Amino acid sequence: AVAESQLGYAESSRNFQVCATATKGYSRYGAWYGSPYGDWCAMFVSFCLHYAGIPREAFPYEANCETWVNKLTARKMFLPAGKGLPRPGDLIFFENNHDDSPDHVGLVTEVDKQRGVYTIEGNSDDKVAHRHYDWDDERLVGYGLLPENPNPGKVASLEDMVVDKEFTGETETLRVRVEAPEGAFPAGTGMEVKA
């Protein structure tokens, strides 16, 4: 939803820097990240992760695609192209310069097993835009796999527990009720109470 809200944004054609090899336009994503005239595809994705409430501890942010792939690989959060399919919300990495190094990234918006993958990308022809790729596109490098529940909200703690005591005859029955925001505990979490 954050990425969709940015569709149509284009880097500035009036506010730019001239480098030895190219003219670099100003982007709000580069400014947010600290590099206003830098290549901003990764900074756009980091911006989206930030405003979606996904903490850096759950999923790293980055401004460089190759470094990002290395970080995700080390965390076992990277899936090479051809080894499986991404899910909407996952990152998708590309290699466009024929140097075997990832150099572009976007966000997966839709996965179709027959027709390919649909994305929203920043710095795609200098703007935020929808794109589509066939599964056999040789530019595909792989996917950054977003955790199932990267922003669980407030994690329940002992202070969040409500304890009701109930007595029946000579035996004490202790009933413990835990109230926490939905998703605060991973699926299948159990609780054991010992006297």
Side-chain angles (χ1 to χ4, degrees):
V2 175
E4 286 179 355
S5 76
Q6 303 299 301
L7 284 167
Y9 175 86
E11 71 178 43
S12 177
S13 60
R14 292 185 186 172
N15 182 355
F16 59 87
Q17 288 183 343
V18 179
C19 302
T21 57
T23 300
K24 301 286 190 175
Y26 169 92
S27 78
R28 68 171 64 136
Y29 316 106
W32 170 83
Y33 201 89
S35 179
Y37 300 96
D39 291 330
W40 50 275
C41 63
M43 294 184 277
F44 165 74
V45 173
S46 293
F47 174 94
C48 292
L49 294 170
H50 172 77
Y51 284 101
I54 298 169
R56 287 178 187 256
E57 301 79 38
F59 196 90
Y61 302 173
E62 187 51 61
N64 177 282
C65 294
E66 183 176 13
T67 303
W68 213 346
V69 167
N70 291 339
K71 285 181 178 180
L72 293 172
T73 300
R75 288 185 172 197
K76 300 189 183 330
M77 299 172 85
F78 183 77
L79 178 67
K83 302 287 184 186
L85 298 179
R87 297 172 305 184
D90 286 344
L91 280 60
I92 183 167
F93 290 91
F94 304 90
E95 194 279 301
N96 294 313
N97 297 335
H98 308 291
D99 61 2
D100 295 325
S101 176
D103 52 37
H104 187 68
V105 63
L107 288 164
V108 174
T109 58
E110 184 182 343
V111 174
D112 185 303
K113 289 182 181 179
Q114 279 74 44
R115 289 184 286 214
V117 62
Y118 297 83
T119 66
I120 295 177
E121 300 168 28
N123 204 15
S124 182
D125 295 326
D126 299 332
K127 62 182 180 277
V128 178
H130 280 288
R131 297 286 180 244
H132 168 261
Y133 302 90
D134 293 327
W135 293 119
D136 61 356
D137 192 311
E138 57 189 40
R139 294 173 293 176
L140 294 178
V141 173
Y143 316 103
L145 305 176
L146 206 61
E148 287 261 342
N149 191 12
N151 186 9
K154 184 179 178 200
V155 176
S157 67
L158 291 175
E159 290 78 31
D160 296 325
M161 295 184 187
V162 177
V163 178
D164 295 326
K165 286 188 179 182
E166 186 175 287
F167 296 94
T168 53
E170 293 181 18
T171 307
E172 181 182 288
T173 302
L174 178 66
R175 179 183 301 145
V176 179
R177 183 179 77 232
V178 178
E179 295 178 348
E182 187 174 333
F185 295 102
T189 298
M191 181 172 55
E192 184 178 332
V193 178
K194 293 183 179 182

